[in-house]
Amino acid sequence: MLAVEGLSKEYGPETRVIDDLSFTVGRGASLTIIGPSGCGKSTLLYIMAGLMRPTAGRVLIDGNEVVAPSRQVGFILQDFGLLPWKTVKENLCLGMRIRKMSKEEQESRSRDILAYLGLELHGDKFPDRLSGGERQRLAVGRALVLEPSLLLMDEPFSSLDTLTRERLQNTMLEIRSQKELTMVTVTHSIEEAVFLGDSIMVLGGRPCNIRALIPNPGAGDPDYRNREQFFEVCRRVRRAVEAP
Ligand code: ADP
């Protein structure tokens, strides 16, 4: 479904961040990406989202090259990208308004998604009146309301406390299976990478390359965090992250 082929990115002379990167993610699969700060993970996501052009190579979704942002791809940014001067409902409708959907369609989709994410009582509030977890759910809702087939997330839960974070990770598992989403998540957390990813890609080096691609067949089980296999995969990822 998603194919990255021979991707390279230079920000200028001598600043090659990504060099000849290739991988695929099957439809409905979840890939998590982990690697040191500054290795090019956000750059890779921006290119996959069509927000930035690569220097060489290409990204394909269902065989079509990504050259600009499209409705097929939802993107959740590190700081959620919410507009503080717009209400929850207005934030939710932003993408639909840009795509000139009818008022009725906007109303019905935003009502459904607010209920789906347990935010139905918050539609008229401003984002600063929400808790961190609610703001995060709103950001997820804003991406889902356009019904993408691919969801990209850049360290989506890093600002949340552990319990809220784990609850939202569970929510993402449910959403993924109910909506048959393909997911690519960048994270700094080894546990998050192992809980969310059917496979975990460890990036490193400058320019960055794939240090390891670790299969993780146990992911998808809400109780996975308590299983020995979970800890075993965490140890494998840690070894790959820490390898010189
Ligand atoms: P990560 O997400 O892994 O922390 P980034 O993709 O944000 O890494 O950045 C990778 C490298 O590219 C960093 O060294 C960063 O300073 C550099 N970089 C990112 N954006 C730009 C830009 N617009 N111009 C020049 N260099 C950039």
Side-chain angles (χ1 to χ4, degrees):
M1 188 258 152
L2 170 71
V4 170
E5 294 180 351
L7 202 77
S8 298
K9 177 69 184 176
E10 286 171 11
Y11 281 112
E14 315 276 306
T15 55
R16 181 165 286 234
V17 176
I18 297 172
D19 187 35
D20 198 17
L21 194 67
S22 298
F23 58 90
T24 58
V25 186
R27 183 187 291 270
S30 170
L31 175 76
T32 46
I33 301 177
I34 191 162
S37 248
C39 82
K41 304 180 295 298
S42 301
T43 302
L44 177 59
L45 278 190
Y46 273 77
I47 295 172
M48 290 196 280
L51 292 164
M52 194 187 274
R53 296 292 297 142
T55 311
R58 56 187 191 157
V59 175
L60 302 167
I61 298 177
D62 291 337
N64 301 313
E65 187 171 354
V66 174
V67 291
S70 92
R71 201 166 140 171
Q72 264 186 302
V73 184
F75 192 12
I76 301 178
L77 300 165
Q78 262 176 49
D79 58 3
F80 310 160
L82 299 172
L83 303 179
W85 61 89
K86 300 250 183 221
T87 65
V88 164
K89 213 148 120 197
E90 287 166 347
N91 265 288
L92 209 51
C93 289
L94 207 65
M96 296 192 278
R97 255 187 47 214
I98 292 169
R99 284 166 179 83
K100 299 198 174 14
M101 286 188 190
S102 72
K103 277 264 180 304
E104 294 74 36
E105 180 79 10
Q106 290 186 32
E107 185 60 36
S108 113
R109 282 198 189 201
S110 59
R111 204 180 323 109
D112 288 352
I113 210 91
L114 284 175
Y116 183 70
L117 293 169
L119 294 171
E120 59 271 60
L121 299 177
H122 302 299
D124 296 323
K125 291 185 184 163
F126 290 93
D128 68 349
R129 308 305 298 168
L130 303 180
S131 70
E134 287 164 345
R135 268 202 294 277
Q136 178 59 49
R137 272 185 282 153
L138 173 57
V140 171
R142 203 173 59 174
L144 292 182
V145 82
L146 294 169
E147 299 181 346
S149 56
L150 172 66
L151 184 62
L152 306 174
M153 300 195 283
D154 195 358
E155 294 181 37
F157 311 123
S158 54
S159 62
L160 304 174
D161 64 88
T162 309
L163 282 180
T164 310
R165 185 182 177 126
E166 292 194 350
R167 219 173 288 138
L168 273 160
Q169 290 167 354
N170 291 354
T171 305
M172 290 319 296
L173 275 194
E174 279 167 35
I175 290 175
R176 189 190 141 205
S177 67
Q178 284 168 8
K179 308 219 176 252
E180 292 178 354
L181 270 180
T182 307
M183 276 176 25
V184 177
T185 310
V186 162
T187 177
H188 269 130
S189 154
I190 291 176
E191 286 77 15
E192 183 162 280
V194 176
F195 186 69
L196 288 180
D198 308 314
S199 54
I200 300 135
M201 191 163 85
V202 180
L203 293 179
R206 179 109 197 178
C208 88
N209 54 58
I210 300 176
R211 290 284 168 90
L213 193 56
I214 297 170
N216 185 29
D221 171 5
D223 200 35
Y224 191 36
R225 292 185 194 91
N226 298 314
R227 303 205 186 288
E228 185 48 41
Q229 193 191 356
F230 175 80
F231 296 108
E232 178 49 37
V233 180
C234 286
R235 283 192 286 273
R236 270 191 78 184
V237 173
R238 187 176 302 280
R239 279 197 294 275
V241 169
E242 289 174 351

